[in-house]
Amino acid sequence: VIKIEPPGGSATRRIGPFLDDEPHPDRSLHFWNYNRGKRSVILDLTTKTDRERFLRLLEGADILLDSVRGGVAALLGMTREELLTRFPRLVLSRMTPFGDVGPWKDYIGSDLVHLALGGVMMNCGYDPGPDGHYELAPIAPQVWQAYHIAGEQLAIAIVAALLARQRDGMGQDVSCAIHDAVSKNTELDLMYWVMRRVPLYRQTGRHAREKIDPVPTISQTKDGRWFLTWIAARQNQDEIVDFFARHGFTEGVREALPRPPSNARPVVGGRDIPGTSETDERAVALDAIIRDFTRSFTAENMPWREAQDVGLLWSPLRKPHETAEDPHWLERQTLADVHHPERDRSFRYVTSKWLSNVTAWQVGRRAPLLGEDTDMILGTPVAPVRVEPAACKPAEPPRLAANGKPFPLQNIRILDFSWFLASAGGTRFMAGLGAECLKVEWKGNPDTRFAAMAPIGGRAARAKATGPLPGETDPSMGGQFNNKNSGKRGFSL
């Protein structure tokens, strides 16, 4: 990855915090984190000489990631079409705030703007008061979440374009609007509104829901630390009762536990949907028991691992530095130390996302110093590696999408055992890109089909609705399930 920087460096070098709180282009911890393993080349694309140097670099490039809203072609005095004509194998990719066309195409965006307009922020914050009024405003997730969401989706599109190129030898123009990416990532919120005109309400440390859940999912120890202490309806109630009894809590535990839902009862994420006063009373009683239990321990002796042994989803809420020191993550190489030779010391980074028995993540060197690789890269003749179309693996005649273009992942089959939102949404991307995705469910615990149910009365009722609509009870009519699994095939084992 060759990072092209203007004279003076990328603007992201000026984002703090800085090493030892000393602002400098080579001391930005933000820049270090996002540019580890890259090379830095300084080019001034306002000059003819550097534009020609840049074009020579493109002769050996597979991907051009344009971070100026699609403006690189214009800096070269070309259109995007002309750029792709000159470099037909290039995957030209970019992120824009609101897309290339439409009434918002020239609006300015930011991480905060996209989290607000995309709906994510409205789902995040603290419980309302007993009267249902929110005293505190919504809270924006931090650490550039909107850009991370869009970056992940753009990366998926780039990989798909590279796979398509293996078949036909041609590059593509790939565009991802941040607003589009973020608005699809409001979890349950979007489909509840689309299907039934139901608004969801934010809760402290819990999923936004149609009704406030009376049981918080976090509790505080006697020394002020927080733990996740969630008890779901489907967990083994005898083992839970025994766990509490071993620590001196016996009174009322079994009576307060959430009841396993019947086959006809809607379930969201494995929990009862609060609705009856009886359910709420049990939930309030269980909340009191959990809070008393947690307050009887310090963080150090809280028996959360014992709770895990009986199937409870309990864990400490860690501070970032505590995770950085955890031997589990170090053993998995999720975190690793990277040497900075100019400082004669190492710093700990996040270095991988998964493990594979064949391929591996490159830890790589630390982020480049400003312009560190300019002479080496520009002084090296370009020697591109070409995979000609004739040498590619023969494929079946391409299946065409509605826009007349071939699917990049056709001829790929996926056995999909994913569940609910995150993983099912990931395989939905692959199905949308043409893979044959086989959704496998178990009749004893099917995927979450009872969320954002289609309205009774269908589209006509939804079009006329001025308030929440009752939903269907047919498990095939779940809006959230259908949204995350469209384009797949399905069977049950």
Side-chain angles (χ1 to χ4, degrees):
V1 177
I2 301 172
K3 187 172 184 66
I4 307 297
E5 302 190 65
S10 166
T12 55
R13 290 182 179 270
R14 298 189 287 275
I15 297 176
F18 298 92
L19 179 66
D20 299 327
D21 291 328
E22 296 179 18
H24 187 277
D26 290 328
R27 301 176 74 92
S28 165
L29 305 187
H30 173 94
F31 187 86
W32 288 10
N33 183 52
Y34 287 100
N35 293 277
R36 176 175 50 83
K38 301 179 186 178
R39 306 291 180 181
S40 171
V41 169
I42 294 177
L43 288 175
D44 183 354
L45 296 186
T46 65
T47 68
K48 181 179 179 181
T49 299
D50 278 2
R51 286 197 297 271
E52 291 174 349
R53 289 175 173 174
F54 181 59
L55 289 170
R56 287 199 299 272
L57 282 178
L58 285 181
E59 291 176 1
D62 295 292
I63 303 161
L64 172 58
L65 183 58
D66 181 343
S67 66
V68 289
R69 298 178 59 157
V72 168
L75 289 173
L76 298 172
M78 303 180 185
T79 64
R80 290 195 298 273
E81 291 76 13
E82 290 170 338
L83 191 61
L84 284 173
T85 298
R86 180 163 177 173
F87 304 103
R89 292 179 51 82
L90 185 67
V91 175
L92 177 57
S93 58
R94 63 194 180 281
M95 282 199 301
T96 64
F98 298 100
D100 303 313
V101 296
W104 290 10
K105 66 181 179 64
D106 296 321
Y107 283 7
I108 296 172
S110 69
D111 184 64
L112 184 63
V113 165
H114 289 300
L115 291 172
L117 279 175
V120 172
M121 194 191 308
M122 187 61 77
N123 283 178
C124 299
Y126 295 98
D127 283 343
D131 62 354
H133 175 70
Y134 282 99
E135 297 180 353
L136 299 174
I139 293 178
Q142 297 299 294
V143 203
W144 313 91
Q145 188 178 28
Y147 296 147
H148 281 231
I149 292 170
E152 295 273 355
Q153 293 189 23
L154 181 59
I156 291 170
I158 290 171
V159 171
L162 290 173
L163 290 171
R165 193 182 70 171
Q166 289 184 344
R167 183 174 59 247
D168 59 24
M170 300 301 295
Q172 295 189 39
D173 183 16
V174 179
S175 176
C176 178
I178 303 170
H179 179 65
D180 180 51
V182 172
S183 65
K184 292 185 292 194
N185 279 266
T186 50
E187 201 191 44
L188 294 165
D189 190 280
L190 186 63
M191 293 312 297
Y192 265 88
W193 182 258
V194 168
M195 287 290 161
R196 294 178 44 223
R197 298 295 187 260
V198 170
L200 300 190
Y201 298 96
R202 59 185 177 273
Q203 309 183 86
T204 306
R206 313 194 293 294
H207 299 278
R209 296 281 295 274
E210 183 176 352
K211 180 186 175 186
I212 298 299
D213 188 336
V215 181
T217 57
I218 56 175
S219 304
Q220 199 169 28
T221 60
K222 67 169 65 175
D223 55 347
R225 292 300 300 269
W226 291 91
F227 277 73
L228 175 68
T229 50
W230 182 31
I231 297 180
R234 290 183 181 273
Q235 291 162 337
N236 188 307
Q237 299 200 356
D238 290 338
E239 291 185 350
I240 295 172
V241 170
D242 290 343
F243 163 71
F244 277 93
R246 286 196 298 272
H247 295 280
F249 287 78
T250 56
E251 185 175 351
V253 173
R254 186 178 297 276
E255 293 75 16
L257 291 176
R259 295 176 182 173
S262 67
N263 291 335
R265 184 79 182 278
V267 177
V268 174
R271 302 193 67 175
D272 276 337
I273 297 176
T276 67
S277 58
E278 180 188 356
T279 299
D280 290 351
E281 288 173 2
R282 289 202 315 275
V284 170
L286 181 60
D287 176 41
I289 293 170
I290 292 174
R291 288 183 183 276
D292 288 344
F293 182 93
T294 308
R295 277 195 296 264
S296 67
F297 295 96
T298 63
E300 185 176 0
N301 60 18
M302 174 74 173
W304 67 273
R305 290 183 177 85
E306 185 182 339
Q308 290 256 340
D309 289 340
V310 300
L312 292 177
L313 302 173
W314 287 24
S315 69
L317 274 63
R318 280 181 165 168
K319 300 175 182 179
H321 73 269
E322 293 172 331
T323 294
E325 301 296 331
D326 190 291
H328 175 82
W329 300 121
L330 294 173
E331 182 178 330
R332 287 179 55 84
Q333 296 183 318
T334 303
L335 301 159
D337 294 332
V338 178
H339 189 58
H340 288 235
E342 68 284 352
R343 307 193 185 282
D344 194 28
R345 62 179 291 195
S346 295
F347 297 88
R348 186 154 294 173
Y349 287 77
V350 178
T351 50
S352 73
K353 288 190 175 184
W354 58 75
L355 294 176
S356 170
N357 67 326
V358 178
T359 55
W361 285 74
Q362 299 182 88
V363 173
R365 69 173 190 180
R366 51 92 176 110
L369 305 178
L370 178 57
E372 181 175 6
D373 309 290
T374 302
D375 293 338
M376 183 271 290
I377 289 178
L378 294 183
T380 302
V382 175
V385 177
R386 296 298 188 208
V387 180
E388 299 301 331
C392 296
K393 179 182 177 180
E396 299 174 6
R399 294 186 295 112
L400 301 182
N403 60 8
K405 298 177 181 179
F407 289 105
L409 299 189
Q410 59 184 296
N411 304 320
I412 292 175
R413 171 178 281 183
I414 300 166
L415 285 177
D416 180 3
F417 287 83
S418 62
W419 198 80
F420 203 34
L421 289 170
S423 48
T427 47
R428 183 203 172 189
F429 275 111
M430 291 184 272
L433 290 166
E436 182 185 27
C437 191
L438 306 179
K439 172 80 173 179
V440 184
E441 295 180 87
W442 171 44
K443 65 180 182 180
N445 186 28
D447 199 349
T448 306
R449 291 173 169 267
F450 290 101
M453 302 305 295
I456 296 174
R459 291 175 182 266
R462 187 170 59 210
K464 294 185 291 186
T466 58
L469 296 169
E472 296 279 3
T473 57
D474 181 347
S476 296
M477 299 294 282
Q480 192 67 32
F481 177 87
N482 282 287
N483 182 41
K484 290 295 183 285
N485 294 285
S486 60
K488 303 178 184 179
R489 301 181 185 276
F491 61 94
S492 173
L493 294 177

